[in-house]
Amino acid sequence: QVHVVESGGGSVQAGGSLRLSCTASGVTDSSALMGWFRQLPGKEREGVAALYTLRRTGYVSTKYADFVKGRFTISQDNAENTVTLQMNSLQPGDTATYYCAASGSGYGQGATFRPAPYLYWGQGVQVTVSS
């Protein structure tokens, strides 16, 4: 079974940075989709950044929410099925619970925030940005 584990998070001042990491163990597909979502208090879950890769060719596509473009970067780590979300210029509006998710087998349509492909979810990490 796929096990998704996040690390990172914490409390920072506005303008600061945090780095979140996520590993999805047990994934053996030739393609992979992993994404970060967040849920603000009293709000619905929303996509933050997603990464899709074809391991055999090295093809990578990414997708970012408008509210993080230019501030957040999602990238593959050296380990398989591991992604990092580098969050810079954090603002109080970024305060939320951040969740990492990974797709099930057979997905091949690129980076997306559509929730259906994401079958495996981490426990979430807290990010708090104070002004």
Side-chain angles (χ1 to χ4, degrees), residues 77-101:
D77 210 338
N78 292 328
E80 290 187 356
N81 302 316
T82 299
V83 295
T84 295
L85 184 68
Q86 178 66 44
M87 305 187 294
N88 297 326
S89 301
L90 285 162
Q91 301 298 314
D94 298 316
T95 295
T97 302
Y98 285 72
Y99 298 91
C100 181

Side-chain angles (χ1 to χ4, degrees), residues 6-117:
E6 307 114 322
S7 63
S11 181
V12 298
Q13 293 282 99
S17 299
L18 287 171
R19 179 178 293 175
L20 309 182
S21 295
C22 176
T23 298
S25 62
V27 176
T28 59
D29 285 347
S30 60
S31 62
L33 171 69
M34 298 181 68
W36 286 96
F37 297 77
R38 73 184 189 186
Q39 187 166 18
L40 280 67
K43 303 295 184 180
E44 295 184 1
R45 181 185 61 197
E46 60 187 354
V48 176
L51 184 149
Y52 173 82
T53 184
L54 294 173
R55 295 187 179 93
R56 296 172 67 91
T57 66
Y59 171 81
V60 174
S61 68
T62 57
K63 180 180 178 68
Y64 294 95
D66 287 343
F67 56 80
V68 304
K69 287 182 179 177
R71 299 190 296 126
F72 293 7
T73 303
I74 188 169
S75 61
Q76 297 179 97
D77 210 338
N78 292 328
E80 290 187 356
N81 302 316
T82 299
V83 295
T84 295
L85 184 68
Q86 178 66 44
M87 305 187 294
N88 297 326
S89 301
L90 285 162
Q91 301 298 314
D94 298 316
T95 295
T97 302
Y98 285 72
Y99 298 91
C100 181
S103 66
S105 62
Y107 179 79
Q109 299 299 313
T112 182
F113 292 146
R114 184 170 56 91

